[in-house]
């Protein structure tokens, strides 16, 4: 026998037992987003490699070691998107959406060649949200209020909000020098990644996941003490709005985010219930990116939620949403009954839009059909034999109680809508 071909490590199948939860969660997320006026945008999964290099930054985990990059048949270098922001900006720019303000969202798979572990996969899913053309802290606050409402709508508990400001480019440049000087004094304590980044991208050292770097990073000078006046005001106003709507937050001076394009506001929603992969949602302002990608100056802010982590957290906190069960499963035995089954079930679907009705296919004995009905999780089993057909009746078994009764076909729609 031929060997079974298995999936790629870190790329998971989401099976039928799990997809109903994903669907409900996605619907809740979409409804909240629509409630704030955000519109969906869809863009390709593959883009030119250059797009990600230029936006995410050359000296980042993603571009240095996580991208799925390949040459296509024309010899062009393409990359499976590791995140959505770059593609979203590209699509908005290319299609003239940036001439006015935009509130956008997208959802789909992202690809990063990381070491697979709980909460960290090579194909994972994000819902991403971006807003373009808004300068003030009001939109930063809106994004955060929106995420807080998402958690509320999902019944999610146990996430806390961390915020920080990365300031203006100039402020970051000044801070960069201070940080380099600090790390140079502790050069022997730096791990290999940090050594390499010391001069190319020292802020990224603060984002290190290496626990041995923790103490050194904790004692490092803080960017928030080097902020420019405008960023400081922007941040203070954001905090005021969050206070006014009672959203609790913690200011985390070491929150720098792993991507190059951020400035001013950054934020993360974190949990301690998923081990070390505890960031469920992350984002921030990236006012410079549009110009960096060749467009006209346009301010921007966005965030992304990791859906695998969100689902895992809902599961861990026993807050998975309720999913719809099958209403009825129809079993049919006998020539007349089998001939009638299609007509009867189609009529029910016409009369009761939204009914979840499984019609047994493939024949077989009552016993084997009942077994299937049982396994389907249906609330009722509808039983059709030749005798029922000649009387225009149908047997109904209520699966929870085992109670059985016979009713007229004409009564079925009202029975099933109880
Ligand atoms: P981390 O610090 O955990 O590596 P990140 O800063 O690289 O995250 P972002 O690029 O900000 O992550 O992506 C936003 C969110 O997407 C993360 O907060 C997380 O929930 C999710 N995410 C990122 N990478 C993965 C992955 N490899 N597997 C599953 N989810 C992921
Ligand atoms: Mg990462």
């Amino acid at each position: 026998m031929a060997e079974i071909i298995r999936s790629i490590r870190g790329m998971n199948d989401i099976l039928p037992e799990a997809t109903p939860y994903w669907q409900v969660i996605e619907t809740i997320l979409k409804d909240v987003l629509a409630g704030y006026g955000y519109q969906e945008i869809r863009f390709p999964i593959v883009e030119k490699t250059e797009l990600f290099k230029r936006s995410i930054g050359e000296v980042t985990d993603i571009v240095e070691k996580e991208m799925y990059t390949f040459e296509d048949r024309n010899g062009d270098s393409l990359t499976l998107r590791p995140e959505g922001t770059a593609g979203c900006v590209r699509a908005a720019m290319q299609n003239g959406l940036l001439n006015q303000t935009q509130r956008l969202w997208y959802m789909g798979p992202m690809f990063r060649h990381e070491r697979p572990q709980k909460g960290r996969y090579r194909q994972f899913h994000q819902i991403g949200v971006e807003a373009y053309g808004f300068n003030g802290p009001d939109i930063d606050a809106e994004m955060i209020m929106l995420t807080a409402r998402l958690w509320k709508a999902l019944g999610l508990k146990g996430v806390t909000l961390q915020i920080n400001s990365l300031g203006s480019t100039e402020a970051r440049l000044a801070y960069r020098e201070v940080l380099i000087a600090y790390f140079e004094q502790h050069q022997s304590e730096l791990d290999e990644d940090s050594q390499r980044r010391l001069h190319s991208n020292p802020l990224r050292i603060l984002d290190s996941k290496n626990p041995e770097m923790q103490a050194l990073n904790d004692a490092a000078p803080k960017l928030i003490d080097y902020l420019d006046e405008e960023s400081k005001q922007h941040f203070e106003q954001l905090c005021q709005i969050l206070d006014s709507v009672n959203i609790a937050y913690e200011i985390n001076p070491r929150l720098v985010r792993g991507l190059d394009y951020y400035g001013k506001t950054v934020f993360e929603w974190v949990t301690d219930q998923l081990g070390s992969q505890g960031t469920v949602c992350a984002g921030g302002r990236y006012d410079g990116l549009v110009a960096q990608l060749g467009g006209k100056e346009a301010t921007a802010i966005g965030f992304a939620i990791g859906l695998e982590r969100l689902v895992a957290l809902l599961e861990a906190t026993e807050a998975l949403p309720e999913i719809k069960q099958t209403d009825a499963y129809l079993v049919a035995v006998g020539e007349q009954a089998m001939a009638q089954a299609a007509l009867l079930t189609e009529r029910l679907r016409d009369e009761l839009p939204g009914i979840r009705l499984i019609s047994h296919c493939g024949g077989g004995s009552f016993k084997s059909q009942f077994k299937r009905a049982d396994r389907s999780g249906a609330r009722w089993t509808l039983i059709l034999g030749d005798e029922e057909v000649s009387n225009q009746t149908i047997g109904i078994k209520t699966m929870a109680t085992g109670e059985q009764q016979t009713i007229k076909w004409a009564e079925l729609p009202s029975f099933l809508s109880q």
Side-chain angles (χ1 to χ4, degrees):
M1 237 181 5
E3 202 181 314
I4 295 174
I5 300 171
R6 304 190 63 86
S7 65
I8 297 163
R9 200 162 99 85
M11 302 205 182
N12 301 319
D13 304 309
I14 304 176
L15 299 176
E17 61 188 36
T19 50
Y21 295 105
W22 282 71
Q23 288 172 357
V24 176
I25 292 165
E26 287 164 9
T27 304
I28 293 172
L29 298 178
K30 288 177 194 177
D31 285 349
V32 171
L33 284 162
Y36 284 78
Y38 286 73
Q39 295 176 297
E40 186 183 11
I41 182 167
R42 300 186 185 192
F43 45 86
I45 284 175
V46 184
E47 298 273 0
K48 291 180 182 157
T49 303
E50 191 55 26
L51 175 69
F52 301 114
K53 284 198 176 161
R54 238 158 81 184
S55 55
I56 297 168
E58 299 264 3
V59 193
T60 55
D61 277 349
I62 293 183
V63 172
E64 277 183 334
K65 51 192 183 194
E66 295 175 359
M67 293 209 299
Y68 279 91
T69 297
F70 60 96
E71 234 178 57
D72 77 353
R73 288 174 191 274
N74 304 328
D76 296 327
S77 178
L78 307 183
T79 294
L80 296 183
R81 63 182 188 196
E83 49 100 59
T85 298
C88 190
V89 167
R90 199 249 338 115
M93 215 157 64
Q94 187 176 332
N95 294 288
L97 303 189
L98 298 184
N99 300 328
Q100 56 186 66
T101 57
Q102 294 287 343
R103 288 178 166 89
L104 304 172
W105 67 266
Y106 50 83
M107 181 158 52
M110 306 294 161
F111 304 85
R112 297 184 193 177
H113 197 274
E114 306 197 58
R115 192 170 67 77
Q117 52 196 292
K118 188 169 172 272
R120 194 175 290 285
Y121 310 102
R122 290 181 174 174
Q123 176 178 321
F124 61 98
H125 298 79
Q126 283 183 342
I127 187 161
V129 180
E130 320 281 353
Y132 301 123
F134 301 94
N135 304 328
D138 48 358
I139 193 81
D140 306 29
E142 175 177 293
M143 290 249 156
I144 292 174
M145 295 185 294
L146 191 160
T147 48
R149 190 169 297 281
L150 290 175
W151 314 146
K152 203 158 125 191
L154 287 165
L156 183 75
K157 302 231 163 63
V159 282
T160 54
L161 173 64
Q162 302 199 337
I163 59 176
N164 190 24
S165 176
L166 300 184
S168 65
T169 313
E170 298 74 44
R172 272 197 311 287
L173 280 176
Y175 173 67
R176 194 175 179 274
E177 298 308 314
V178 176
L179 201 58
I180 291 177
Y182 167 78
F183 284 126
E184 272 176 343
Q185 281 168 11
H186 300 271
Q187 199 140 12
S188 61
E189 296 160 60
L190 296 179
D191 65 5
E192 203 187 306
D193 266 346
S194 306
Q195 293 272 6
R196 198 162 35 82
R197 287 177 177 174
L198 179 55
H199 292 280
S200 58
N201 203 340
L203 260 73
R204 214 62 342 115
I205 298 177
L206 297 175
D207 193 44
S208 166
K209 304 235 159 40
N210 183 355
E212 284 167 29
M213 289 292 299
Q214 182 85 31
L216 191 62
N217 279 338
D218 283 346
K222 296 180 176 46
L223 174 51
I224 209 148
D225 298 327
Y226 293 84
L227 284 191
D228 52 295
E229 204 42 51
E230 194 205 332
S231 300
K232 208 191 261 173
Q233 258 186 32
H234 187 103
F235 192 61
E236 278 165 10
Q237 284 167 9
L238 167 63
C239 293
Q240 276 163 19
I241 304 176
L242 294 179
D243 290 336
S244 75
V245 294
N246 275 323
I247 292 180
Y249 54 86
E250 187 186 312
I251 297 173
N252 176 357
R254 270 167 305 283
L255 186 65
V256 292
R257 309 287 302 111
L259 298 84
D260 258 3
Y261 50 58
Y262 288 109
K264 289 191 180 152
T265 309
V266 288
F267 66 95
E268 288 193 357
W269 286 92
V270 298
T271 175
D272 53 13
Q273 296 182 62
L274 291 177
S276 45
Q277 269 57 253
T279 304
V280 177
C281 169
R285 191 167 262 285
Y286 52 96
D287 292 339
L289 181 60
V290 177
Q292 200 176 309
L293 290 176
K296 259 204 326 238
E297 208 58 51
T299 53
I301 178 166
F303 67 84
I305 298 173
L307 292 177
E308 277 79 2
R309 292 187 195 174
L310 179 63
V311 171
L313 182 58
L314 286 166
E315 203 175 354
T317 54
E318 291 176 9
L320 278 177
E322 268 195 41
I323 55 173
K324 260 196 163 170
Q325 299 294 334
T326 304
D327 296 306
Y329 189 106
L330 179 115
V331 304
V333 176
E335 219 169 288
Q336 306 294 327
M338 283 168 77
Q340 189 63 37
L343 197 63
L344 201 65
T345 49
E346 281 302 282
R347 209 184 292 150
L348 283 172
R349 293 188 182 102
D350 283 339
E351 290 183 35
L352 302 172
I355 188 174
R356 301 205 167 190
L357 172 60
I358 301 176
S359 194
H360 182 85
C361 287
S365 66
F366 259 127
K367 196 173 161 210
S368 68
Q369 294 196 30
F370 257 106
K371 227 187 237 167
R372 296 276 182 89
D374 207 21
R375 242 185 278 151
S376 76
R379 187 166 168 207
W380 295 293
T381 301
L382 310 181
I383 307 146
L384 203 58
D386 287 348
E387 202 189 313
E388 280 83 2
V389 173
S390 60
N391 301 331
Q392 303 216 339
T393 58
I394 191 157
I396 300 181
K397 181 176 175 187
T398 303
M399 301 307 278
T401 59
E403 185 193 339
Q404 284 211 33
Q405 56 194 305
T406 301
I407 65 170
K408 284 279 188 196
W409 287 352
E411 295 162 356
L412 250 183
S414 70
F415 181 94
L416 294 178
S417 36
Q418 62 177 296

